[in-house]
Amino acid sequence: MKIAMVGSGYVGLVSGACFADFGHDVVCIDTDQNKVDRLKDGVMPIYEPGLDQLVANNVAAGRLSFTTDLAQGIDGAGAIFIAVGTPSRRGDGHADLTYVHEVARQVGDTLSGDAVVVTKSTVPVGTGDAVERIIADSGTAHKVSVVSNPEFLREGAAIGDFKRPDRIVIGVEDDFGRDVMREVYRPLFLNESPILFTSRRTSELIKYAANAFLATKITFINEMADLCEKVGANVQDVARGIGMDNRIGPKFLHAGPGYGGSCFPKDTLALLKTAEDYDSPTRIVEAVVKTNDSRKRAMGRKVIEALGGADAARGKKAALLGLTFKPNTDDMRDSPAIAIAQTLSDAGVEVTAYDPEGMEQAAPLLPQVTMCDDPYTAIEGADVVTIVTEWDAFRALDLNRVKDLAKAPVLVDLRNIYDPQDVRAAGFAYTGVGRA
Ligand code: UGA
């Protein structure tokens, strides 16, 4: 089947490349000429493990191509995916649907045959209805079914998540849409990945409910970590102890500096807005958003504490290892590192940093931070070393070398990747998260 993917950002590009790998004929469309030219040259706009090779293989096999021409790209496509951005609208946190609506208008105006239009972008409940209205208003004579098919890809693991999903959710209102979507996902269906067909509005809400629930799980364990520090308990054992209960499950119970990224912060806010619009408050999610926001600066204060408090910290130097919101991405959006670095700078602490992939994106966001070429250069002369993101490269630092280079042997491990006993035995003062 020919598939058109409108929007060659993170979701569109990964999904398009994976669909091509399944044997579909995929055209990725984007308005950004520069991005399309670079993609044609094999240059990826984002860092995602394995993506460059997947794209190269499928381009070489003639199953994947790129264009800025929407009419040409969707010509003859059985399924047209909308995978454009839905950023938080400035000022009110609502998802900004300008791009989604614009694509729907253009698709309606240029459609050359019957097609299923699939919203893959994360969109609030009722967006499918709006897309359907916009396409109908274009007066197209072709049969169109509008479907919701949210993605559940994690950055850094997106290709694996796409090819071996826990489930595929499809919100559809008619048989035409259902049949085409079955065909699109047939390779996964044969792989026995469960496909859940729901109504369109239900599918749209599933996406937000999933992200809000995961954000809640993280925030819950982060608050337990704070309590552990007060009562003298260990949050990792608490997580293990509760996670072994099948009803709770062990995943997403790693305490840390708070969630960031392009999804949880934006989607929890958008869910709150929907709840407000429908006069159906989601107080738990409200608390999660507030708690997570304040946690990021609190982590900066934790580093200041390790420096001996506000007075002692002024004029000292902190090295941050890891800046991206999580490992294996170059994404800095809503990364805790931003608030942590800011809190430290506000307190008069000089900040150096190293991140394996994120420094280019981080530099404009953190102009006060000195970016270094490797972890050990960042550590040189530091009064405290702080692990902000759990990149593999930081899991086995040469502690003797760190001790020699740093001004003081103080380690703040915001991801609990070190065994406190080992680090203390190496002569460091160690602070983790929720490990009294
Ligand atoms: C998240 C979801 O996991 C995906 O299923 C979803 O498709 C995606 O959002 C989206 O809506 O597009 P992602 O933002 O890539 O994926 O990252 P996660 O791996 O979920 O991590 C999010 C944040 O939570 C990170 O800052 C991470 O460090 C933090 N986290 C995660 C914790 O602090 N503790 C945990 O136990 C897990």
Side-chain angles (χ1 to χ4, degrees):
M1 187 191 304
K2 177 174 173 185
I3 291 177
M5 189 63 67
V6 187
S8 301
Y10 191 81
V11 170
L13 192 54
V14 170
S15 308
C18 287
F19 278 137
D21 213 44
F22 289 159
H24 293 305
D25 180 12
V26 179
V27 182
C28 286
I29 302 156
D30 205 285
T31 49
D32 184 339
Q33 181 74 54
N34 184 35
K35 187 192 270 185
V36 167
D37 288 344
R38 286 162 64 88
L39 279 165
K40 283 180 176 169
D41 287 339
V43 182
M44 298 299 107
I46 48 159
Y47 171 75
E48 178 65 28
L51 186 62
D52 44 0
Q53 199 54 52
L54 193 73
V55 167
N57 292 349
N58 284 284
V59 168
R63 289 190 299 260
L64 180 62
S65 60
F66 304 96
T67 181
T68 53
D69 186 338
L70 185 121
Q72 180 207 323
I74 69 170
D75 185 35
I80 302 165
F81 283 81
I82 303 179
V84 293
T86 52
S88 278
R89 202 161 61 191
R90 205 174 277 255
D92 68 0
H94 267 287
D96 183 346
L97 295 173
T98 314
Y99 304 116
V100 172
H101 290 167
E102 181 52 30
V103 172
R105 236 181 313 277
Q106 289 181 20
V107 166
D109 287 345
T110 52
L111 209 54
S112 62
D114 297 349
V116 172
V117 175
V118 193
T119 315
K120 214 169 207 350
S121 306
T122 298
V123 292
V125 177
T127 303
D129 302 357
V131 168
E132 192 171 79
R133 268 194 309 274
I134 292 169
I135 294 177
D137 285 350
S138 74
T140 180
H142 301 291
K143 180 163 73 170
V144 174
S145 170
V146 176
V147 169
S148 158
N149 171 220
E151 55 82 20
F152 301 101
L153 312 176
R154 286 164 305 161
E155 288 187 21
I159 294 169
D161 283 351
F162 193 96
K163 292 190 163 183
R164 290 174 295 281
D166 287 345
R167 79 303 202 188
I168 298 153
V169 175
I170 295 172
V172 56
E173 302 291 332
D174 53 57
D175 288 343
F176 173 46
R178 194 185 312 258
D179 292 345
V180 170
M181 292 308 282
R182 233 188 254 282
E183 192 56 33
V184 165
Y185 279 105
R186 183 192 293 279
L188 283 176
F189 199 57
L190 295 176
N191 248 353
E192 294 186 357
S193 286
I195 298 194
L196 176 67
F197 285 104
T198 70
S199 77
R200 201 164 55 203
R201 286 184 163 236
T202 305
S203 163
E204 288 168 340
L205 188 56
I206 285 172
K207 169 69 189 190
Y208 284 99
N211 274 0
F213 190 84
L214 292 169
T216 303
K217 215 173 167 187
I218 297 166
T219 307
F220 177 84
I221 202 68
N222 282 342
E223 285 203 318
M224 285 301 120
D226 291 346
L227 186 56
C228 282
E229 288 175 12
K230 298 272 160 59
V231 303
N234 181 326
V235 74
Q236 287 183 302
D237 290 340
V238 171
R240 254 181 237 121
I242 63 174
M244 282 175 182
D245 184 328
N246 281 331
R247 293 168 303 174
I248 297 173
K251 294 184 180 164
F252 273 67
L253 286 177
H254 298 291
Y259 62 77
S262 62
C263 303
F264 289 170
K266 161 175 84 68
D267 294 350
T268 44
L269 272 187
L271 181 61
L272 290 184
K273 290 298 163 194
T274 302
E276 207 178 291
D277 288 351
Y278 285 84
D279 196 18
S280 179
T282 46
R283 305 237 188 275
I284 292 176
V285 183
E286 274 172 32
V288 165
V289 168
K290 278 200 188 116
T291 309
N292 191 66
D293 276 350
S294 56
R295 182 168 190 82
K296 296 178 182 174
R297 281 189 80 86
M299 291 300 113
R301 292 196 295 277
K302 202 178 178 76
V303 179
I304 291 170
E305 247 354 272
L307 284 168
D311 287 341
R314 193 161 293 279
K316 285 195 173 158
K317 186 171 154 187
L320 303 184
L321 299 188
L323 294 169
T324 50
F325 80 99
K326 66 171 192 176
N328 300 322
T329 174
D330 58 356
D331 200 335
M332 282 297 296
R333 283 176 283 182
D334 275 303
S335 173
I338 301 170
I340 293 169
Q342 194 57 55
T343 308
L344 290 169
S345 308
D346 291 349
V349 178
E350 188 194 331
V351 185
T352 58
Y354 169 74
D355 186 282
E357 295 292 339
M359 292 197 294
E360 203 181 311
Q361 305 234 13
L365 299 171
L366 301 170
Q368 79 282 25
V369 173
T370 308
M371 301 292 167
C372 301
D373 290 340
D374 69 272
Y376 296 101
T377 314
I379 287 165
E380 227 174 297
D383 298 278
V384 59
V385 176
T386 303
I387 291 167
V388 182
T389 314
E390 70 278 32
W391 285 92
D392 280 345
F394 306 144
R395 288 179 186 273
L397 290 169
D398 178 345
L399 290 180
N400 287 327
R401 192 169 164 204
V402 172
K403 213 165 108 188
D404 287 347
L405 287 169
K407 198 158 163 204
V410 181
L411 183 70
V412 177
D413 177 7
L414 297 179
R415 299 288 183 167
N416 288 341
I417 58 175
Y418 278 89
D419 181 336
Q421 276 183 352
D422 292 350
V423 180
R424 290 190 183 120
F428 283 79
Y430 176 88
T431 311
V433 172
R435 301 198 288 183

